[in-house]
Amino acid sequence: MRFHTRKWVKPQDLNPNGTLFGGQLLAWIDEELALYSIIQLENSRVVTKSMSEINFRSSAKQGDVIEIGIAVVKFGHTSLTLKCEVRNMMTRETIITIDATTMVNLGTDGKPKAHGKTKIEFVKDRLE
């Protein structure tokens, strides 16, 4: 799994218990999965279709730096399925895992569209 993004947990990200609000964390994850999918599928019209069980395993507190990791599970005809892990960057303790999030590629009409991708591509390889 590659860890792509880091976030700094700030006061506005906390719940009444003084730990990272789960909704904020899920928003960060959804955005990161969307950006990853947009780059992989080379299309800015990508939406989240579904998420499997979300497993909160530990919490983060103000001042913690977390990192979001993503791995491709499979390429579908119009979709990309990803797994995600978020961990505390300093302790490496896992905060949350999501085994499968399905992102769907859309056409200009807003309907699922075949993307023709079958493997992970890196931007640097597209430029060569």
Side-chain angles (χ1 to χ4, degrees):
M1 179 167 299
R2 291 177 178 259
F3 287 81
H4 297 270
T5 298
R6 295 181 180 104
K7 295 286 187 180
W8 189 15
V9 180
K10 299 179 206 160
Q12 63 266 28
D13 304 322
L14 304 178
N15 62 29
N17 298 318
T19 58
L20 178 59
F21 174 56
Q24 179 61 60
L25 180 55
L26 290 171
W28 288 340
I29 290 168
D30 193 40
E31 179 179 33
E32 188 63 22
L33 295 176
L35 291 170
Y36 185 89
S37 299
I38 286 166
I39 292 166
Q40 282 302 309
L41 302 178
E42 298 181 87
N43 180 10
S44 61
R45 293 181 191 91
V46 174
V47 294
T48 307
K49 181 181 187 292
S50 64
M51 279 188 174
S52 67
E53 179 179 271
I54 299 164
N55 187 2
F56 288 94
R57 296 174 53 184
S58 67
S59 59
K61 61 186 184 317
Q62 183 178 332
D64 284 349
V65 177
I66 64 169
E67 52 187 355
I68 302 171
I70 298 170
V72 173
V73 175
K74 73 174 185 171
F75 284 86
H77 182 67
T78 62
S79 64
L80 178 60
T81 302
L82 305 165
K83 69 188 290 185
C84 177
E85 176 185 351
V86 178
R87 65 186 183 188
N88 182 306
M89 184 154 174
M90 305 309 285
T91 66
R92 297 291 193 247
E93 184 177 17
T94 298
I95 297 168
I96 192 174
T97 57
I98 304 171
D99 289 337
T101 300
T102 302
M103 308 299 289
V104 176
N105 188 62
L106 302 178
T108 55
D109 61 358
K111 295 183 179 175
K113 176 184 175 189
H115 51 66
K117 304 289 184 174
T118 59
K119 64 179 182 161
I120 297 170
E121 294 177 344
F122 297 96
V123 173
K124 67 177 184 67
D125 296 330
R126 291 180 189 154
L127 300 175
E128 292 177 352

